Amino acid sequence: MFVFFLNILRQKSGRYVCVQLLQTLNILFENISHETSLYYLLSNNHVNSIIVHKFDFSDEEIMAYYISFLKTLSLKLNNHTVHFFYNEVRPQMGGYMRKQSWTEK
């Protein structure tokens, strides 16, 4: 599923599709109640690819949904899920290195 989302995002489908994908991801992660389901969704590293995707942060609506998505993900983090976001080759947190991009102009 996330592979399709990434392919759509990479096609430069426009702001409405981008907003809809971010809304869908946010709803999906908000409603996960079983930790095994969360493990499954995070285990293939596609979420990290979505986090580091170059969204158009000059669009305030996209930025708002992106921040909401990150907030939802952060609320799902615990001792067992944080390793899905940690890059062991280069010690850093995957998406969190991206935070400066919308503040730098």
Side-chain angles (χ1 to χ4, degrees):
M1 175 177 65
F2 290 128
V3 173
F4 294 114
F5 286 174
L6 281 167
N7 288 335
I8 291 169
L9 285 172
R10 290 178 183 143
Q11 291 176 8
K12 306 282 186 197
S13 301
R15 81 180 283 280
Y16 296 109
V17 173
C18 187
V19 166
Q20 184 61 53
L21 282 172
L22 288 169
Q23 284 177 326
T24 302
L25 288 168
N26 197 28
I27 292 167
L28 176 69
F29 280 97
E30 278 182 349
N31 291 303
I32 292 175
S33 57
H34 298 290
E35 200 161 293
T36 54
S37 300
L38 183 62
Y39 287 178
Y40 176 76
L41 291 174
L42 295 176
S43 66
N44 55 24
N45 208 35
H46 294 304
V47 173
N48 284 334
S49 297
I50 292 170
I51 290 171
V52 298
H53 177 76
K54 296 190 183 302
F55 290 99
D56 179 13
F57 291 123
S58 64
D59 185 320
E60 290 182 12
E61 189 174 17
I62 290 175
M63 187 186 335
Y65 281 111
Y66 178 80
I67 291 169
S68 180
F69 173 59
L70 289 181
K71 180 180 174 186
T72 300
L73 281 177
S74 69
L75 293 173
K76 296 292 182 178
L77 290 179
N78 60 35
N79 290 339
H80 305 289
T81 59
V82 72
H83 75 277
F84 291 113
F85 298 97
Y86 185 74
N87 183 348
E88 291 181 17
V89 176
R90 283 182 56 198
Q92 66 185 26
M93 296 297 285
Y96 295 105
M97 298 305 291
R98 178 78 195 277
K99 68 178 180 177
Q100 294 177 354
S101 64
W102 65 72
T103 58
E104 295 174 351
K105 297 275 178 183

